[in-house]
Amino acid sequence: MAHFLTEEMILNMGPHHPSTHGVLRFILQTDGEMMRRAVPDIGFLHRGIEKIAELVPYQSFMPFTDRIDYLASACCNLGYAVTVERLAGIEIPEKADYLRIIAAELTRIGSHLIGLGALLLDLGAVTPFVHALRERETFNDLMEALCGARLTHNYVRIGGVSHDEPPSFREKTRKFIDHIENEFIDEFNELASFNTIFINRMVNVGVISPEQAIEHCLVGPNLRGSGVKYDVRKNDPYSIYDRLDFDVPVGHGKFGTLGDCYDRYWVRVEEVRESCRIIRQALDQMPESGAIRTKLTRAFKPPKGEIYVRTECPRGEMGFYLISDGGASPYRLKIRTGSFTSMAIISEVSQGVMVADLVAIIGSFDIVAPEVDR
Amino acid sequence: MHSLAGIIYDFLVARFGRSDLLDPLFGLAGYLIPCFVVLGVVSTISGLLTYFERKVSADIQNRIGPNRVGPYGIFQFVVDGIKLFLKEDIIPDAADKFLFRLAPYIVFSSTILAAIVIPFGGPFIIADLNIGLIFIIVVSSLVVVGFLMSGWASNNKWALLGGIRSAAQIISYEIPAAFSLLTVVLIAGTFSMQEIVMKQGPWPWNWFLFHNPFTFIAFFIFVISGLAEINRLPFDFPEAESELVSGYNTEYSGMRFGVFFLAEFANIFVSASIAAAVFLGGGNIGLDPYKSGIVYQLLMVLVFFAKVLTLCLVTIWVRWSLPRLRIDQMMSMCWKYFIPISFSCLGLTAVWLLIFNGNGIFWRISG
């Protein structure tokens, strides 16, 4: 036996792996536990949603936007609706605007609950995930009362929303956000966020500098985790976000380096609080009664033209680039999603970390597989 | 020497009379009967522990837990076992079939071997070996062979990683665990488990846990290294679900997986029993375990199991509230902190015994 030959091992992580959050695949080059490279291999969940948009009428595409990001369907609905409305110049009733914002922000809370919980689940802590799911159950009930669906809401429609608020919706929502803001987040932080093992797993792992984040087009909480104060709701307000008062939480290296996994995690925790603030204001300002939908013609045809609209989804900026040739369905619809952009940086930040760290990195980006592929 | 085997032998001889023909048979029966009883008891206890874990975790997570089979779902583990028996048993084509089949039983038998020297309270110990503690330390490291074997034989990279992790982890944590057990051996002056229990007393201030500050530290080091040795969270690296899919048992299905599962819970029980017997006085209620009546002997068993169950509860509680460490953090914790601390505990206990003439801290306080 002359000497030990060590060679790199090619590990295939996914498409069926407990911590890839859906059908995602990573090709890992590892030296034992140390990782040389992780190359994401995407496309397992491609459903041709952009192509479908060219084949169906404008209104009929709305249910498909639910499926772009199934954890935050109301936010995707809102993005598409705003895009078409701006192109066609549709005015929508004031009450519908408030209902949209409430639905979108509730969805953001629900989505972040899953994101935070799933990250902890990947790190081996099961209980915080179950506790987060318990709160999400209340959110599901609220949305069910509002529009009848629990996951793919299809609530926001072009020209308004599908249903008016049910009786006692406001009280229930207030109770929910009070519970989240005053009780749940503190309890969750005590259980998980400030756990020493968890902090040690998250700090100084997957560090992304602000320059690097901008270079790689990171969006949403992943960008803000690197300390860049950019939120579409503030910087390019759509709907009625300019009437509402809220802060944009950014990472500042809470326990370690600026832009590490913990910062991205913590930005999401803070965002849940901000969403609660937004919902509370929207509930106060929302008119008691009024129309909720502008009637569109049955064969709705926006004028010829093109438009790009950005909205802030839980996973970051979601852009809809819509070209209309004046027909009954879009000529071309391009959807830009947050998860897709964060996939690109994974191979860069995962160099030289351990396999266990990759799990934390993927989790901290809060990637949802269908959003990557559309 | 008192032992269950001897008692059974004496009973059989008294019942059937002494003869050269039957004598070896009686001797064999004296050892075999307790072995089978313990195999049954430990398996049942680990089955009940799975139920216990599911109920406790359900309580922690605001769920109800199993409640369908039997009163409060207590027979859930039986049904789980039947389900695993009925599952198709798959052996991968590329696996090393012999090693693949052998591995689960090595893991399980090493656990059961350790149960041989556990004093269940009263006279209930299969073999009161005079090297009891050493025996436990030796057989519990046998688990590594099974884990490595299953990881290698599966011909699966994730399983191999799990096997390697378990080898690194269990061998490392063996050292602090052994050192902290040796701390007690210094005080007790014997390796025999029964005698270690008998040298303690019924009350907490008689326990070796509170003998001196160093045994107190050693106890916690033993419990934490015990967690690592039995692959429980926060140290469940060999089967880290979200990292290695399922680690060394990725390719296992059916009853072979069930044996791994059983071994894991039997390990919890064995580890808790060692801690209870060595540090917490075991089943000692201040009476002679061999000469007192059956009621007192059963009371000893009850006391022992109360202590063990409490420790099991802590194990499960930790499992369901903490995230997992990273493998390098776990290794540095062992080599940088646990081994030096446990080693100094051993040395300082020796110094303590020298200075205070072998007396504990409560003896000093009470004068």
Side-chain angles (χ1 to χ4, degrees):
Chain A
M1 199 171 77
H3 58 278
F4 274 123
L5 255 183
T6 63
E7 55 183 83
E8 286 182 359
M9 179 161 68
I10 304 285
L11 260 177
N12 187 25
M13 187 175 174
H16 295 283
H17 187 276
S19 68
T20 50
H21 299 205
V23 198
L24 264 182
R25 179 171 174 237
F26 291 89
I27 303 159
L28 316 183
Q29 288 181 352
T30 65
D31 180 7
E33 289 271 342
M34 296 304 290
M35 201 149 59
R36 294 270 175 272
R37 233 151 73 89
V39 182
D41 179 16
I42 61 172
F44 287 94
L45 266 171
H46 182 72
R47 291 147 298 163
I49 283 186
E50 292 175 8
K51 183 68 188 168
I52 292 171
E54 298 167 19
L55 306 174
V56 297
Y58 281 92
Q59 294 102 315
S60 309
F61 183 63
M62 195 54 86
F64 290 99
T65 58
D66 287 336
R67 275 80 178 168
I68 297 171
D69 179 356
Y70 54 77
L71 282 180
S73 44
C75 293
C76 304
N77 292 164
L78 180 61
Y80 177 67
V82 171
T83 312
V84 179
E85 283 155 10
R86 280 205 195 155
L87 182 69
I90 302 167
E91 285 291 317
I92 70 160
E94 197 186 8
K95 184 163 187 194
D97 251 338
Y98 281 103
L99 280 171
R100 281 175 170 193
I101 297 305
I102 291 167
E105 293 303 322
L106 277 176
T107 308
R108 192 183 312 279
I109 294 174
S111 168
H112 279 344
L113 287 179
I114 293 279
L116 300 174
L119 168 58
L120 278 147
L121 188 64
D122 289 348
L123 298 187
V126 189
T127 304
F129 180 64
V130 180
H131 281 219
L133 272 187
R134 180 190 68 200
E135 304 308 325
R136 192 180 150 88
E137 198 61 26
T138 323
F139 151 74
N140 280 342
D141 291 342
L142 279 174
M143 288 308 283
E144 192 182 10
L146 193 61
C147 62
R150 291 167 70 83
L151 186 69
T152 50
H153 304 124
N154 190 17
Y155 178 58
V156 183
R157 302 287 169 84
I158 299 170
V161 291
S162 66
H163 295 81
D164 202 351
E165 52 170 334
S168 79
F169 175 74
R170 293 188 196 210
E171 293 84 81
K172 279 183 194 155
T173 313
R174 277 215 181 84
K175 214 173 133 198
F176 173 62
I177 55 176
D178 283 343
H179 172 66
I180 290 280
E181 209 176 6
N182 302 329
E183 292 162 36
F184 174 69
I185 294 183
D186 296 332
E187 183 193 307
F188 193 78
N189 284 344
E190 215 170 297
L191 176 67
S193 309
F194 299 144
N195 183 307
T196 316
I197 297 177
F198 177 65
I199 293 173
N200 282 338
R201 283 295 303 273
M202 298 289 282
V203 296
N204 303 334
V205 170
V207 178
I208 300 172
S209 65
E211 297 78 33
Q212 219 180 351
I214 293 168
E215 228 168 63
H216 279 81
C217 293
L218 281 191
V219 289
N222 301 337
L223 177 69
R224 294 193 282 278
S226 296
V228 182
K229 196 162 186 155
Y230 177 83
D231 188 322
V232 180
R233 290 174 293 174
K234 273 270 189 235
N235 296 46
D236 182 11
Y238 55 97
S239 199
I240 50 160
Y241 276 113
D242 44 359
R243 294 184 215 168
L244 303 165
D245 173 42
F246 61 97
D247 294 326
V248 178
V250 289
H252 48 273
K254 189 169 170 66
F255 287 105
T257 329
L258 173 68
D260 58 7
C261 286
Y262 197 91
D263 273 357
R264 287 191 286 279
Y265 169 86
W266 189 248
V267 162
R268 289 195 169 83
V269 175
E270 293 278 293
E271 263 183 31
V272 172
R273 280 190 203 279
E274 294 305 322
S275 289
C276 290
R277 266 179 74 190
I278 295 174
I279 295 170
R280 191 169 289 125
Q281 292 168 41
L283 282 172
D284 291 339
Q285 296 174 16
M286 184 160 69
E288 280 302 321
S289 58
I292 53 151
R293 199 165 172 187
T294 313
K295 203 84 180 138
L296 299 183
T297 52
R298 187 167 285 276
F300 168 68
K301 285 180 184 164
K304 212 168 167 178
E306 55 188 83
I307 191 166
Y308 180 72
V309 172
R310 317 178 275 182
T311 52
E312 184 75 20
C313 269
R315 266 150 218 86
E317 186 180 318
M318 181 173 280
F320 285 89
Y321 182 51
L322 178 67
I323 302 178
S324 158
D325 58 356
S329 49
Y331 177 75
R332 174 81 171 93
L333 180 69
K334 166 84 181 85
I335 305 163
R336 178 187 192 271
T337 53
S339 294
F340 181 73
T341 51
S342 44
M343 285 298 278
I345 201 170
I346 282 181
S347 65
E348 194 160 310
V349 292
S350 62
Q351 281 171 6
V353 299
M354 308 194 84
V355 177
D357 286 334
L358 177 71
V359 173
I361 290 171
I362 299 171
S364 77
F365 281 124
D366 193 13
I367 287 168
V368 166
E371 209 198 8
V372 176
D373 300 324
R374 270 98 63 206
Chain B
M1 193 164 64
H2 296 290
S3 74
L4 214 52
I7 293 169
I8 290 176
Y9 174 79
D10 289 344
F11 173 79
L12 288 173
V13 167
R15 180 77 179 73
F16 297 106
R18 185 182 291 276
S19 72
D20 289 344
L21 190 68
L22 288 175
D23 206 42
L25 268 183
F26 290 160
L28 199 63
Y31 280 105
L32 276 185
I33 290 173
C35 279
F36 280 113
V37 168
V38 159
L39 191 66
V41 166
V42 173
S43 302
T44 317
I45 287 174
S46 22
L48 282 170
L49 266 183
T50 64
Y51 169 77
F52 186 54
E53 162 148 53
R54 289 173 72 165
K55 272 293 186 194
V56 170
S57 71
D59 217 33
I60 289 173
Q61 300 177 350
N62 296 359
R63 295 184 285 112
I64 296 172
N67 66 345
R68 291 289 144 201
V69 194
Y72 300 99
I74 188 120
F75 296 124
Q76 184 71 40
F77 74 95
V78 182
V79 184
D80 285 344
I82 292 170
K83 188 200 80 171
L84 284 174
F85 258 122
L86 297 179
K87 286 257 173 185
E88 187 189 355
D89 181 36
I90 301 166
I91 299 177
D93 280 342
D96 186 328
K97 294 197 174 51
F98 176 67
L99 293 183
F100 189 83
R101 288 201 180 99
L102 188 63
Y105 306 111
I106 290 187
V107 173
F108 188 64
S109 54
S110 74
T111 310
I112 296 295
L113 273 178
I116 286 179
V117 292
I118 290 176
F120 289 96
F124 300 105
I125 177 169
I126 297 177
D128 183 17
L129 301 180
N130 52 0
I131 50 156
L133 260 183
I134 300 272
F135 181 76
I136 284 178
I137 294 168
V138 169
V139 295
S140 61
S141 23
L142 242 158
V143 186
V144 184
V145 181
F147 285 161
L148 260 183
M149 207 181 258
S150 63
W152 178 256
S154 300
N155 193 31
N156 177 320
K157 285 170 185 168
W158 297 111
L160 180 61
L161 269 182
I164 294 170
R165 277 182 172 196
S166 77
Q169 171 179 340
I170 294 176
I171 290 172
S172 307
Y173 275 90
E174 197 81 339
I175 301 165
F179 272 140
S180 35
L181 288 179
L182 286 182
T183 317
V184 167
V185 172
L186 272 187
I187 304 166
T190 171
F191 282 111
S192 151
M193 292 293 275
Q194 190 73 299
E195 277 180 45
I196 288 176
V197 170
M198 278 154 74
K199 292 219 165 152
Q200 302 176 65
W203 307 109
W205 53 86
N206 302 126
W207 297 349
F208 284 150
L209 170 64
F210 297 116
H211 184 275
N212 63 49
F214 312 114
T215 45
F216 188 72
I217 300 170
F219 169 72
F220 287 100
I221 287 187
F222 177 75
V223 168
I224 297 173
S225 342
L227 280 180
E229 273 196 66
I230 59 182
N231 303 326
R232 294 286 290 183
L233 243 144
F235 304 103
D236 68 336
F237 299 97
E239 47 176 296
E241 184 197 88
S242 50
E243 293 158 28
L244 301 185
V245 191
S246 187
Y248 59 86
N249 58 29
T250 306
E251 297 286 354
Y252 281 85
S253 61
M255 205 49 215
R256 269 182 254 283
F257 171 76
V259 170
F260 270 129
F261 200 66
L262 202 62
E264 187 186 326
F265 281 90
N267 257 326
I268 297 174
F269 171 70
V270 167
S271 171
S273 328
I274 296 167
V278 171
F279 288 99
L280 303 181
N284 195 329
I285 56 168
L287 298 169
D288 188 298
Y290 294 105
K291 298 205 179 90
S292 41
I294 185 74
V295 178
Y296 291 112
Q297 287 178 342
L298 287 179
L299 186 66
M300 290 172 196
V301 175
L302 215 64
V303 168
F304 174 75
F305 273 97
K307 288 169 184 171
V308 170
L309 258 188
T310 316
L311 285 172
C312 287
L313 177 68
V314 172
T315 312
I316 292 167
W317 182 9
V318 166
R319 157 83 172 80
W320 291 97
S321 32
L322 292 183
R324 186 183 303 120
L325 281 115
R326 204 169 58 210
I327 186 125
D328 59 321
Q329 292 168 347
M330 182 268 293
M331 289 308 249
S332 67
M333 194 168 118
C334 177
W335 291 97
K336 283 187 188 161
Y337 303 103
F338 276 22
I339 290 181
I341 291 174
S342 59
F343 191 69
S344 21
C345 278
L346 184 64
L348 289 168
T349 307
V351 174
W352 175 285
L353 292 175
L354 198 66
I355 294 173
F356 296 114
N357 204 14
N359 289 308
I361 193 163
F362 283 105
W363 185 85
R364 300 295 320 158
I365 293 169
S366 60

